[in-house]
Amino acid sequence: MELDLVPRLGAVIGIAIVLAVLALLLRWTYGHQKHHALPTDDPDDPVATGLLTEVSRVPGPEAAQVLRDRLRSEGIRATTSRADDGGWALLVFPRDVGDTRVVLSRRSLD
């Protein structure tokens, strides 16, 4: 019975070594990606907002969340982002810009 245990133990240790080597290779290949900078040298997108369009800028995060919540209550997907000037930007997809402006102007008149 002890003779049957030795090959199994060897197989388990071998598999563990292979998995450890594989994990190290993947770690070396992909790393933690902190050294990969986001591309910001796009002249068409200097603030790196990607597919989103800025529709409003407010001084603080609370105001940005209020506007974002208004848009979400109307079914418009929106997000906020800290702007370079210290303010907060409200961002939506380009197809929602018109609806966003209507919702924000309608709410400001109330």
Side-chain angles (χ1 to χ4, degrees), residues 46-48 54 57 81-89:
V47 292
E54 182 179 330
R57 188 169 292 206
S81 175
R82 186 144 179 99
D84 291 337
D85 64 356
W88 288 79

Side-chain angles (χ1 to χ4, degrees), residues 29-76:
T29 303
Y30 296 105
H32 49 71
Q33 304 215 0
K34 287 186 180 177
H35 63 279
H36 296 291
L38 293 174
T40 58
D41 56 351
D42 184 1
D44 297 329
D45 190 15
V47 292
T49 56
L51 297 174
L52 300 175
T53 302
E54 182 179 330
V55 291
S56 181
R57 188 169 292 206
V58 293
E62 296 84 11
Q65 287 178 349
V66 167
L67 293 178
R68 184 194 65 201
D69 292 343
R70 285 183 186 175
L71 293 175
R72 287 183 177 176
S73 71
E74 295 290 332
I76 299 171

